[in-house]
């Protein structure tokens, strides 16, 4: 891989914070520093004390011409060094990252300079794990990686081969060129939404019948949260107006929790005026009960109210706000359909006055709650057929088109 081909003038102003942890592969971090510097990136190093058993801070100090952080209180001029490091980073790359450090970051444990910085930073986190195959495949490590990935952390997969301990399997630190290229890619991509505000509605709305019963739907929030993570990685300031979900937002995304469609409209209205791109991925209940009882409706005494629940139409959040759209704003809506997906999606482009509609199939185990999605992107003069892919990847494609329309 030719790293120099990736050199971009926009990278010159970028700072990568390189985290180094205690692993035999730590010596390769010095080559990672050189690779990034060749592309014009400023590199600062934060390392654990265990990493110091494998490579000295002096090496990194000499290569980067920057102070190297190894202990929480080793910068006398900067009493809260982890916070200043966290703020300086455009991207936090941890390579190599041990199972232990990954577990600490996943669980929010901050007991050294590297993990406190990881907890404090809002910069995108890119992790290149390296460890013994047994540790890599241990369910605890697998679970921790999944938890981090769900929060928007990106991984550079470990390679297979001979490991330092003599075992053969997955766990070798990825090749230095691959790590450098992935880091540059992440930095480049980070730039294109810098300075932009993106608001996203996500998840279901919940409409109360009484304190224990409700009308809702199967949206998990995965699509909306994938969009939020992708927009954040690309440098945007991101706000999600989210119905109740169990997925977590990437670190750095502002989440405004809401319950009903009326709450969601109010919250969305508060940030729509400032948004450059507004994306409506929520599955909003079209109807709500005319009245929500304050006490549980008893079958014996309120049988009739339970048998026939009178409904009233909810506000259409997308249509309401799209009608208030100003020049320079892009509105992206979704269309969730069980039949005639494309035809119905086209109708929604016009009826909702959106700039782009993402039409997708839902129901019978498709769309809702899945990690992957197949969609058609419908614009005024163009339809793009996007094959099934992880929602994270689809999110980037949607953002590419939204950006084009901006
Ligand atoms: O959350 P996941 O489990 O990942 O599933 C993803 C998804 C299937 C929910 C998502 O991909 C999706 O399709 N979201 C839109 C769901 C929906 O309500 O579609 P709709 O065709 O009913 O509505 C059309 C558009 O109007 C949508 O952008 C919707 O957010 C918006 N709308 C609808 C009704 C309403 N009262 N207010 C709205 O803003």
């Amino acid at each position: 891989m030719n790293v120099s081909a990736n050199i971009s003038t926009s990278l010159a102003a970028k700072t990568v914070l390189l985290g180094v942890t205690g692993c035999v592969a730590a010596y390769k971090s010095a080559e990672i520093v050189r690779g990034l510097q060749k592309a014009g990136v400023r590199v600062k190093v934060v390392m654990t004390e265990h990493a110091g058993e494998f490579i000295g801070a002096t090496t990194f100090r000499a290569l980067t011409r920057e102070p190297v952080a190894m202990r929480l209180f080793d910068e006398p001029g900067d009493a809260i060094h982890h916070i200043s490091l966290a703020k300086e980073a455009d991207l936090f790359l941890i390579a190599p990252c041990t199972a232990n450090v990954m577990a600490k970051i996943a669980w929010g444990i901050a007991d050294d300079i590297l993990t406190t910085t990881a907890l404090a930073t809002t910069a995108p986190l890119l992790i290149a794990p390296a460890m013994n195959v047994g540790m890599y495949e241990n369910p605890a490590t697998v679970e921790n990686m999944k938890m981090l990935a769900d929060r928007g952390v990106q991984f550079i997969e470990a390679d297979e081969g001979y490991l330092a301990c003599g075992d053969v399997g997955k766990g070798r630190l990825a090749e230095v060129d691959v790590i450098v290229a992935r880091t540059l890619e992440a930095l480049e991509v980070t730039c294109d939404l810098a300075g932009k505000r993106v608001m996203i509605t996500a998840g279901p709305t919940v409409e109360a019948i009484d304190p224990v019963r409700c009308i809702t739907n199967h949206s998990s929030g995965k699509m909306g949260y994938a969009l939020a993570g992708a927009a954040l990685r690309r440098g945007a300031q991101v706000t999600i107006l989210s119905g109740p979900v169990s997925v977590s937002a990437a670190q750095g995304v502002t989440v405004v929790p809401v319950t009903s469609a009326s709450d969601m409209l109010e919250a969305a209205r508060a940030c729509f005026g400032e948004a450059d791109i507004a994306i409506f991925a929520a599955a909003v209940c079209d109807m709500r009960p005319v009245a929500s009882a304050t006490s549980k409706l008893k079958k014996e005494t309120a049988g009739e109210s339970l048998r026939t629940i009178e409904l009233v139409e909810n506000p259409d959040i997308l249509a309401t706000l799209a009608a208030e759209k100003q020049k320079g704003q892009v509105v992206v809506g979704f269309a969730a359909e069980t039949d005639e997906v494309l035809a119905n999606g086209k109708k929604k482009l016009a009826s909702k006055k959106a700039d782009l509609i993402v039409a997708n199939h839902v129901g019978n185990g498709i769309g809702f709650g899945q990690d992957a999605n197949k969609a058609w992107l419908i614009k005024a003069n163009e339809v793009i057929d996007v094959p099934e892919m992880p929602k994270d990847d689809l999110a980037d494609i949607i953002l590419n088109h939204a950006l084009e329309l901006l």
Side-chain angles (χ1 to χ4, degrees), residues 94-245:
I94 308 181
C97 188
T98 59
N100 176 49
V101 167
M102 213 151 54
K104 286 203 252 181
I105 297 172
W107 290 95
I109 296 167
D111 60 358
D112 58 23
I113 182 81
L114 193 152
T115 49
T116 36
T117 307
L119 196 61
T121 194
T122 55
L125 195 53
L126 182 59
I127 291 181
M131 64 198 73
N132 162 270
V133 57
M135 295 169 83
Y136 197 82
E137 289 173 357
N138 187 294
T141 307
V142 172
E143 193 58 36
N144 289 335
M145 286 173 78
K146 183 175 179 317
M147 202 190 297
L148 289 168
D150 286 348
R151 280 185 220 149
V153 174
Q154 296 178 76
F155 283 91
I156 304 170
E157 220 180 313
D159 284 343
E160 290 203 24
Y162 284 101
L163 305 173
C165 53
D167 285 351
V168 179
K170 199 162 184 174
R172 280 170 65 91
L173 183 69
E175 291 299 327
V176 169
D177 279 357
V178 172
I179 295 174
V180 171
R182 280 284 308 277
T183 308
L184 297 181
E185 208 179 283
L187 276 177
E188 293 259 30
V189 176
T190 303
C191 302
D192 69 356
L193 283 173
K196 301 279 181 263
R197 288 175 199 259
V198 176
M199 64 151 266
I200 299 161
T201 69
T205 65
V206 176
E207 315 294 334
I209 296 169
D210 67 16
V212 296
R213 302 180 182 92
C214 64
I215 298 174
T216 187
N217 57 63
H218 300 297
S219 171
S220 63
K222 285 182 181 175
M223 189 66 243
Y225 279 63
L227 281 157
L232 185 84
R233 279 196 297 281
R234 294 165 71 152
Q237 215 173 303
V238 187
T239 304
I240 306 191
L241 303 319
S242 174
V245 293

Side-chain angles (χ1 to χ4, degrees), residues 367-391:
F368 287 123
Q370 304 300 311
D371 290 330
N373 209 2
K374 194 247 166 301
W376 285 267
L377 305 195
I378 306 171
K379 297 189 208 171
N381 307 315
E382 193 185 6
V383 174
I384 301 116
D385 187 338
V386 186
E388 180 168 338
M389 61 178 68
K391 284 180 177 170

Side-chain angles (χ1 to χ4, degrees), residues 201-204 217-225 245 261 264 279-287 313-320 332-337 348 352 357-362 366-371 373 391 394:
T201 69
N217 57 63
H218 300 297
S219 171
S220 63
K222 285 182 181 175
M223 189 66 243
Y225 279 63
V245 293
M264 191 176 269
I279 306 179
F280 297 82
V284 183
C285 294
D286 289 316
M287 299 283 176
E313 203 167 320
N314 262 331
D316 189 316
I317 303 166
L318 163 57
T320 307
V332 179
F334 273 69
E337 307 292 341
K348 282 184 180 162
K352 308 254 183 183
I357 284 283
V358 181
N360 55 183
H361 209 140
V362 289
I366 306 172
F368 287 123
Q370 304 300 311
D371 290 330
N373 209 2
K391 284 180 177 170
L394 176 60

